[in-house]
């Protein structure tokens, strides 16, 4: 006979009432972050000063009637714009794939009839019908329940399902968590039984919605990379615009009647001086980093977070679903005086003494279980009893006695063909099962020691019993059977196999790991020992945290690594306390209860597989495969990115000095103007992809995961880095000016001088890329380091240089002239010689600080 809840007595709302409430209260959904459309993304690209200057130059050329120059400059604008838009849209689309394609369905009673509707159409007052496997669509109060158990780990962090009761209680705690509450919460999962409940809150009014309000109140600060880059862009932009104005005025004054040429000269100098590569290259650099890490199943929602993760000093980890698998496994069995520990080895055999224990634990479970504990029990049976007589697929289920508040055990009554007697299997809390068996005090005392033995190792303990019944009429209560106690089953939520090694690597990298969980201290301590967490005995509970002053918390926060029985508001408080302690905090989590802390952390890392939409929306990064070890790879990549960004910035400073110098000096000394906007645009077309692609593809240094995180106040634009970059640029400027003077004094025409000077600058540009790959290893040695982008970029740049030097159309467009092979060799020698001093300086070890060392 099947147990079910009679629905005839429930009427529910009418369609008209439901429509009216839907119109007044709105849909049952949480607002999500809006997706930026193509026009918003494009506007963010075109408002960059570099693009505006290129458009201005194009407009001037149109006024002068030079259509080819104008089209070339505008083509450069659209090329970089298209690249940026493609990467932005690719990242946003990847996030959209994570979200559900439609809202979950809900079963409701309306006009006495049960029907399925979209979860977003559930309204207050609706009668929900929930059963095993259903996701609860709204907060509701139970009217009727039968053996109902719900997984509330999204809200509480606890992996063990809780019992539900339809009994009213004036003193009931209305917060999620705990057994025998008559409430269901939106987003939780029914793992056993069935129930009917009246909806009390939808959308923002649910517990999910309340957490969402907390998330909105958490301001998300700019990363240090964004702030520092913004300051330098602003300051250098002021310098560039000022020089632009000075050049326009000076040129117009010294060359009367040529004000348009003065505007072109000024804008060209601004193009050479403005640090447009910093925002553009950093955007592409981090976007490519996001794409690269996405190949390892990590989605980056805020690209600067990758760099910030590399400087993280504390990693706050949620236990359930992050450190553990969020599924139960049988770890130990106790029958009589004997114990067996279950291992993953297939060769392990189960002694006969334990067969009946497993047999009756299966009989006390669902045939096709959904509950994690029953799934684990079924798995053990399939593994060890499959070919034995202890599995009974042909038995018939006759009756089920569900869990109740008075008796925390359930019994299932079976009957087999050809037998008159009933077979009863019971399982539940060990105390309840011992009570069913009417054990004597001494036996209970001995069993209690074994129960504590299992519980102390963090296991969830179940008792199992059996009974036989020969009468035709089954009794009303489980206590009326004569049960025999069979033994104990210890279940655990296993640690992810990759976690211990990942934790060890974090420690090697100088990163402190902190566990923040809603689970019990004993369980948290056990997990901490298994993963190798430092100081596993030092635990601070949520109740202790609640009454703790901020000063005391600041004293304890530096030494305690385990925080147990923590509620969402306290997770947020802990993250902020760590930040006040001077830490750069990375926070992982998958539940809705983690969302406020994920958003408040410097880097929030959500689980994409088991994680909630709210957690993913709040996080900076999403682990698509929920593999904790991917965090270590992200940290490695973050440190690599910071190193490589510094190399790229040094190169940017180095190449801009000679470009700006070769534009400014001819204006001031009234020499012939060599470089026009087309030349700068061509150089930028090489510089931007070259420095972003080559330096982004550079491999990490060998000490990247053995050095401590960089200081919180360590600048990206350090004085030594800027000084080295500028010095490289000054030397290159001197060499290029030398080529200019040599050929100018030899009587070469302006077109030939321009060609040779530009060629020398292009060769020096490529040499600057090579030398800045490493500040501790020479170009010759670094050529053996893998970088798949290096050869294509160098070859492409040389090909483009050959085209503009030898294809007549481009020779005319760039106002070049033919050059002799011997002069070309001189340009090659001068370009390489411009960085030779820096290569010799590397050999002295002056740059061997460990930051760029390959040793």
């Amino acid at each position: 006979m099947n147990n079910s809840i009679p629905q005839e007595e429930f009427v529910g709302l009418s369609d008209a009432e439901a429509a009216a409430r839907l119109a007044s209260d709105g849909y049952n959904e949480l607002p999500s972050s809006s997706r930026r459309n193509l026009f918003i993304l494009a506007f963010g690209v075109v408002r960059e000063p570099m693009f505006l200057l290129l458009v201005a130059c194009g407009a001037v050329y149109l006024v002068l009637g030079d259509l080819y120059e104008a089209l070339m400059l505008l083509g450069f604008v659209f090329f970089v714009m298209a690249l940026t838009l493609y990467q932005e849209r690719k990242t946003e689309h990847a996030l959209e794939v994570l979200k559900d394609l439609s809202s979950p369905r809900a079963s409701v009673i309306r006009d006495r009839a049960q029907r399925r509707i979209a979860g977003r159409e559930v309204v207050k007052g609706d009668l929900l019908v929930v059963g095993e496997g259903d996701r609860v669509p709204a907060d509701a109060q139970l009217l009727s329940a039968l053996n109902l158990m719900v997984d509330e780990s999204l809200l509480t962090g606890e992996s063990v399902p809780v019992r539900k009761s339809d009994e009213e209680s004036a003193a009931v705690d209305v917060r999620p968590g705990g057994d025998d509450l008559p409430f269901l919460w939106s987003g939780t999962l029914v793992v056993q039984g069935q129930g009917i409940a009246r909806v009390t809150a939808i959308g923002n009014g649910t517990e999910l919605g309340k957490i969402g309000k907390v998330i909105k109140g958490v301001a998300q600060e700019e990363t240090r990379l964004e702030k520092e880059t913004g300051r330098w862009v602003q300051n250098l932009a002021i310098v560039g615009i000022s020089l632009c104005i000075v050049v326009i005025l000076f040129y117009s004054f010294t060359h009367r009647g040529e004000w348009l040429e003065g505007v072109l000269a000024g804008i060209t100098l601004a193009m050479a001086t403005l640090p447009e590569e910093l925002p553009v290259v950093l955007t592409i650099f981090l976007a490519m980093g996001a794409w690269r890490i996405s190949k390892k199943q990590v989605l980056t929602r805020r690209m600067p977070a990758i760099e910030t993760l590399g400087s993280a000093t504390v990693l706050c980890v949620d236990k359930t679903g992050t450190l553990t698998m969020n599924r139960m496994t049988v770890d130990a069995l106790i029958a009589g005086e004997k114990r067996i520990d279950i291992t993953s080895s297939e060769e392990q055999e189960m002694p006969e003494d334990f067969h009946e224990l497993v047999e009756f634990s299966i009989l006390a479970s669902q045939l096709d279980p959904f509950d994690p504990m029953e799934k684990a029990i079924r798995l053990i049976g399939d593994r060890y009893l499959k070919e034995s007589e202890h599995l009974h697929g042909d038995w018939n289920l006759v009756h089920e006695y569900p869990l109740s508040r008075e008796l925390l055990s359930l019994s299932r009554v079976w009957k087999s063909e050809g037998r008159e007697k009933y077979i009863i299997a019971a399982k539940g809390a060990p105390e309840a099962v011992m009570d069913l068996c009417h054990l004597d005090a001494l036996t209970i005392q001995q069993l209690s020691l074994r129960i504590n033995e299992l519980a102390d190792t963090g296991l969830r303990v179940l008792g199992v019993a059996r009974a036989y019944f020969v009468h035709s009429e089954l009794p009303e209560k489980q206590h009326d059977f004569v049960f025999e106690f069979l033994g104990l089953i210890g279940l655990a939520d296993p640690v992810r196999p990759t976690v211990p090694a990942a934790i060890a690597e974090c420690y090697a990298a100088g990163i402190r790991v902190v566990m923040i969980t809603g689970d019990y201290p004993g369980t948290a301590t056990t997990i901490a020992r298994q993963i190798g967490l430092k100081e596993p005995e030092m635990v601070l509970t949520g109740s202790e945290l609640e009454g703790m002053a901020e000063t005391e918390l600041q004293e304890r926060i530096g030494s305690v690594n385990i925080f147990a029985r923590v509620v969402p508001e306290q997770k947020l408080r802990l993250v902020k306390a760590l930040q006040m302690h001077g830490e750069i905090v990375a926070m992982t989590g998958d539940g809705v209860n983690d969302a406020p802390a994920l958003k408040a952390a410097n880097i929030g890392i959500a689980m994409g597989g088991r994680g909630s939409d709210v957690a993913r929306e709040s996080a900076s990064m999403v682990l698509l495969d929920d593999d904790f070890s991917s965090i270590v790879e992200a940290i490695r990549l973050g440190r690599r990115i910071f190193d490589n960004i510094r190399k790229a910035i040094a190169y940017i400073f180095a190449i801009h000095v000679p470009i700006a110098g070769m534009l400014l000096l001819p204006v001031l000394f009234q020499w012939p103007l060599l470089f026009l906007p087309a030349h700068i645009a061509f150089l930028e077309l090489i510089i931007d992809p070259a420095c972003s692609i080559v330096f982004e593809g550079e491999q990490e240094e060998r000490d990247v995961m053995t050095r401590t995180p960089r200081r919180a106040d360590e600048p990206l634009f350090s004085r030594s880095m800027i000084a080295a970059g500028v010095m490289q640029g000054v030397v290159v400027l001197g060499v290029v000016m030398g080529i200019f003077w040599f050929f100018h004094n030899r009587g070469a025409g302006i077109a030939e001088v321009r060609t040779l000077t530009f060629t020398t600058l292009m060769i020096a540009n490529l040499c600057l890329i090579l030398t800045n790959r490493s500040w501790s290893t020479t170009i010759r040695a670094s050529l053996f380091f893998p970088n798949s982008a290096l050869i294509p970029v160098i070859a492409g740049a040389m090909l483009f240089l050959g085209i503009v030097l030898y294809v007549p159309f481009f020779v005319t467009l760039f106002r070049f002239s033919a050059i002799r092979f011997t002069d070309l060799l001189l340009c090659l020698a001068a370009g390489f010689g411009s960085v030779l001093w820096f290569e010799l300086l590397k050999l002295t070890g002056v740059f061997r600080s460990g930051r760029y060392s390959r040793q």
Side-chain angles (χ1 to χ4, degrees), residues 540-553 556 570 573:
L540 192 61
T541 64
S543 58
E544 293 172 326
L545 189 64
E546 188 173 354
M548 187 174 292
E550 288 298 326
T551 53
E552 184 180 358
L553 178 59
R556 301 285 301 276
Q570 293 172 333
R573 184 186 176 193

Side-chain angles (χ1 to χ4, degrees), residues 470-493:
V470 295
H471 301 288
S472 59
E473 192 73 25
L474 291 173
E476 293 186 4
K477 298 180 180 179
Q478 299 180 62
H479 267 293
D480 294 330
F481 296 112
V482 180
F483 280 101
E484 175 188 357
F485 192 85
L486 295 178
L488 302 168
I489 298 179
L491 300 105
D493 185 3

Side-chain angles (χ1 to χ4, degrees), residues 214-221 314 316 516 545 550 553-554 557 568-585 587 596-602:
V214 176
I215 296 170
K216 285 188 175 181
V218 178
Q220 210 160 27
E221 295 185 358
V314 173
C316 295
I516 303 178
L545 189 64
E550 288 298 326
L553 178 59
Q554 284 297 315
I557 200 74
E569 295 82 0
Q570 293 172 333
K571 289 188 177 186
L572 180 60
R573 184 186 176 193
L574 287 171
V575 169
K576 291 184 174 179
L578 286 166
Q579 290 171 331
M580 290 179 62
H581 202 256
E583 308 285 2
I584 298 176
V585 182
M587 167 75 185
L598 285 173
K599 188 170 183 180
N602 300 92

Side-chain angles (χ1 to χ4, degrees), residues 662-737:
M662 291 305 297
L663 288 167
L664 182 60
L665 293 177
V667 173
L668 295 181
F669 294 98
Q670 299 185 32
W671 299 332
L673 293 179
L674 293 179
F675 296 158
L676 302 174
H679 302 116
I680 305 304
F682 180 85
L683 283 169
E684 295 292 347
L685 194 60
I686 300 298
I687 292 170
D688 288 356
C691 69
S692 61
I693 295 173
V694 171
F695 289 114
E696 189 279 332
E698 193 67 25
Q699 299 298 307
E700 69 267 11
E701 308 294 339
R702 292 183 181 178
D703 68 339
V704 71
M705 289 301 287
T706 57
R707 63 185 185 230
T708 58
R710 63 180 184 273
R711 302 188 318 273
D713 58 349
E714 183 177 345
L716 175 64
F717 297 82
S718 66
R719 293 181 179 179
S720 59
M721 179 204 69
I722 295 173
V726 170
M727 183 58 67
Q728 291 179 56
V730 168
V731 174
V732 170
L733 175 60
V735 171
V736 173
M737 283 299 302

Side-chain angles (χ1 to χ4, degrees), residues 372-480:
M373 290 187 291
E374 293 189 349
K375 281 185 176 181
I377 292 171
R378 169 64 67 175
L379 187 63
I380 288 296
D382 291 341
R383 181 175 167 187
Y384 293 108
L385 306 182
K386 196 166 186 179
E387 304 300 329
S388 71
E389 73 281 4
H390 294 284
L391 295 181
H392 310 286
D394 57 341
W395 286 14
N396 298 314
L397 178 64
V398 178
H399 188 69
E400 180 174 353
Y401 296 89
L403 287 166
S404 66
R405 184 179 299 181
E406 293 77 20
L407 185 63
L408 303 181
S409 70
L410 62 87
S411 297
R412 308 189 89 208
V413 182
W414 299 85
K415 198 169 187 181
S416 65
E417 295 290 338
R419 289 191 180 184
E420 293 296 328
K421 63 181 178 179
Y422 295 102
I423 303 97
I424 302 96
K427 80 173 189 316
E431 297 81 5
V433 177
M434 287 190 293
D435 184 38
L436 279 179
C437 297
H438 305 289
L439 300 177
D440 59 70
L442 179 60
T443 304
I444 291 175
Q445 183 180 2
Q446 293 173 342
L447 282 173
S448 296
L449 293 175
R450 308 305 298 272
I451 293 168
N452 292 334
E453 176 186 320
L454 295 175
D456 287 344
T457 59
L459 299 182
R460 170 84 166 178
V461 185
L462 294 177
V464 180
R466 72 177 172 192
Y468 300 101
F469 193 73
V470 295
H471 301 288
S472 59
E473 192 73 25
L474 291 173
E476 293 186 4
K477 298 180 180 179
Q478 299 180 62
H479 267 293
D480 294 330

Side-chain angles (χ1 to χ4, degrees), residues 189-209:
L189 183 66
V190 178
V191 297
Q192 183 174 299
Q194 52 187 296
I196 296 177
R198 188 181 304 279
V199 174
T200 57
I202 63 171
N204 286 331
T206 64
E207 284 296 310
L208 286 181

Side-chain angles (χ1 to χ4, degrees), residues 447-658:
L447 282 173
S448 296
L449 293 175
R450 308 305 298 272
I451 293 168
N452 292 334
E453 176 186 320
L454 295 175
D456 287 344
T457 59
L459 299 182
R460 170 84 166 178
V461 185
L462 294 177
V464 180
R466 72 177 172 192
Y468 300 101
F469 193 73
V470 295
H471 301 288
S472 59
E473 192 73 25
L474 291 173
E476 293 186 4
K477 298 180 180 179
Q478 299 180 62
H479 267 293
D480 294 330
F481 296 112
V482 180
F483 280 101
E484 175 188 357
F485 192 85
L486 295 178
L488 302 168
I489 298 179
L491 300 105
D493 185 3
V495 169
R496 290 181 179 272
T498 57
V499 167
I503 295 289
E505 196 163 1
C506 285
Y507 285 142
I511 301 171
R512 177 184 165 202
V513 182
V514 174
M515 182 195 300
I516 303 178
T517 178
D519 220 327
Y520 291 92
T523 305
T525 299
T526 301
I527 296 296
R529 291 196 190 99
Q530 294 177 14
I531 65 176
L533 201 67
K534 292 181 178 179
E535 305 294 342
E537 305 299 331
M538 296 181 63
V539 182
L540 192 61
T541 64
S543 58
E544 293 172 326
L545 189 64
E546 188 173 354
M548 187 174 292
E550 288 298 326
T551 53
E552 184 180 358
L553 178 59
Q554 284 297 315
E555 293 177 1
R556 301 285 301 276
I557 200 74
S559 57
V560 177
N561 294 327
I562 302 175
F563 296 87
R565 302 300 289 169
V566 172
V567 297
E569 295 82 0
Q570 293 172 333
K571 289 188 177 186
L572 180 60
R573 184 186 176 193
L574 287 171
V575 169
K576 291 184 174 179
L578 286 166
Q579 290 171 331
M580 290 179 62
H581 202 256
E583 308 285 2
I584 298 176
V585 182
M587 167 75 185
T588 71
D590 61 351
V592 175
N593 60 322
D594 299 322
L598 285 173
K599 188 170 183 180
N602 300 92
I603 314 101
I605 309 169
M607 300 296 158
R610 298 191 59 87
S612 64
D613 281 345
V614 178
R616 291 195 292 265
E617 288 283 344
S618 304
S620 304
M621 304 178 71
V622 180
L623 304 185
L624 302 182
D625 58 357
D626 290 4
D627 190 345
F628 180 81
S629 63
S630 297
I631 298 173
V632 179
E633 292 300 318
I635 292 173
R636 180 189 302 274
L637 182 61
R639 293 187 173 191
R640 163 184 162 179
I641 284 178
F642 186 83
D643 286 354
N644 292 345
I645 284 177
R646 279 188 154 182
K647 299 172 185 177
I649 290 175
Y651 159 74
I652 289 171
F653 274 98
I655 190 58
H656 270 268
V657 169

